[in-house]
């Protein structure tokens, strides 16, 4: 389990807290989506799970974060990084090699993965992210989206128990974005990986995340099961978070018909609801 207990954090030199009194738990094998406007503290929250806040980004840190019983303040980053794999919002700050394969190998060798296991890990990561053909390429020749996929592949090759991804689809088209979310879901399902993903694409979050945390001004504005959070459609809109169209449609119908209807979070549910209403 990952738990935030009244975490507040102000970056050194910052005059306002980037995180304010965050209380949040993510169960083992859970899939949490984090959303909110720019500057809300999403990246800082992600950094706090991986421990780089406060180990690499110093500041005033109050409260605690525990990842599988490790207190992130007391646990060295090298130990935390074996458990938590993180894909940074700015992937270029994370990539250190010049060739794609070397980038994946670097992490595997650093973690002391037995040599016999390495080829399988490489194939798995490159295949699952859908970039086997990039293996021999120079990183400098890749597009932003391709570099994003390399960063994701090098983290999943390490098979961390917890995956934290900060806007991993920012440079990706809708097809690749969905592919990455399907991959995250399969890691959750097949290996019990805990997934925490900061994402602006609300439709993807609603479809794949079990729970949502909506941030605003460093605080948690809403958190809970995805469906439950979406019942606050109007309030979310005030925070600059748009609900998926299917969710707005079911709420609109509910208002029109003057009776409560379950919130739809994907197209299949909306279609089913529409059919039932017309029947
Ligand atoms: N390295 C840093 N040093 C100082 N302040 C920072 C740093 N990174 C982020 N902040 C500040 O922390 C707040 C939250 O930022 P961030 O976590 O990046 O939000 P988001 O990811 O939601 O856009 C902002 O006010 C931002 O200016
Ligand atoms: Mg951010």
């Amino acid at each position: 389990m990952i738990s935030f207990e009244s975490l507040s954090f102000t970056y050194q030199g910052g005059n306002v807290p980037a995180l304010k009194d965050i209380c949040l738990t993510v169960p083992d094998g859970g899939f949490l989506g984090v959303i909110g406007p720019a500057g809300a503290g999403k990246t800082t929250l992600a950094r706090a799970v991986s421990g780089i806040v406060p180990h690499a980004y110093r500041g005033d840190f109050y409260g605690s974060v525990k990842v599988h019983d490790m207190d992130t303040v007391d646990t060295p980053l090298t130990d935390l990084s074996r458990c938590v794999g993180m894909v940074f919002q700015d992937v270029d700050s994370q990539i250190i090699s010049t060739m794609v394969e070397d980038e994946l190998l670097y992490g595997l060798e650093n973690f002391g993965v037995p040599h016999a296991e390495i080829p399988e890990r490489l194939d798995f990561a490159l295949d699952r992210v859908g970039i086997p053909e990039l293996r021999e390429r120079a990183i400098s020749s890749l597009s932003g989206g391709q570099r994003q996929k390399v960063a994701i592949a090098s983290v999943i090759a390490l098979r961390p128990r917890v995956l934290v991804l900060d806007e991993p689809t920012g440079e990706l088209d809708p097809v690749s974005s969905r592919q990455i979310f399907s991959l995250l879901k399969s890691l959750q399902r097949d290996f019990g990986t805990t997934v925490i993903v900061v994402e602006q694409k609300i439709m993807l979050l609603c479809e794949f995340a079990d729970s949502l945390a909506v941030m605003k001004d460093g605080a948690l504005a809403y958190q809970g099961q995805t469906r439950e959070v979406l019942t606050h459609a109007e309030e979310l809109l005030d925070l600059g978070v748009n609900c998926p169209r299917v969710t707005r449609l079911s709420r609109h119908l509910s208002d029109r018909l003057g009776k409560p209807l379950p919130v739809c979070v994907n197209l299949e549910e909306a279609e089913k609801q529409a059919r039932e209403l017309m029947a």
Side-chain angles (χ1 to χ4, degrees), residues 4-40:
F4 287 77
E5 284 153 30
S6 298
L7 173 67
S8 295
F9 181 75
T10 306
Y11 287 97
Q12 210 161 56
N15 40 21
V16 286
L19 294 176
K20 294 179 202 160
D21 200 26
I22 303 287
C23 296
L24 177 71
T25 58
V26 186
D28 290 345
F31 194 135
L32 172 75
V34 181
I35 195 163

Side-chain angles (χ1 to χ4, degrees), residues 100 104 122-135 137 142 145-146 148-150 152-154 156 172-173 175-176 178-184:
V100 171
L104 274 75
L122 279 177
D123 290 341
F124 172 86
L126 293 168
D127 285 346
R128 295 297 279 271
V129 177
I131 52 167
E133 74 286 359
L134 298 185
R135 189 173 187 141
R137 290 272 298 273
L142 305 181
Q146 288 172 324
Q148 205 153 30
K149 289 182 184 176
V150 171
I152 295 168
S154 39
I156 69 162
L172 301 183
D173 61 38
V175 172
S176 290
R178 170 164 290 274
Q179 189 184 10
I180 295 300
F181 269 80
S182 301
L183 160 66
L184 299 177

Side-chain angles (χ1 to χ4, degrees), residues 39-83:
K42 305 180 297 296
T43 291
T44 310
L45 186 88
R47 287 174 179 160
V49 178
S50 70
I52 54 177
V53 159
H55 288 284
Y57 292 93
R58 304 265 164 187
D60 291 329
F61 186 103
Y62 299 100
S64 69
V65 182
K66 293 201 179 72
V67 179
H68 293 298
D69 293 328
M70 289 182 285
D71 186 302
T72 58
V73 170
D74 302 335
T75 311
L77 261 188
T78 45
D79 295 344
L80 283 168
S81 66
R82 292 195 166 266
C83 176

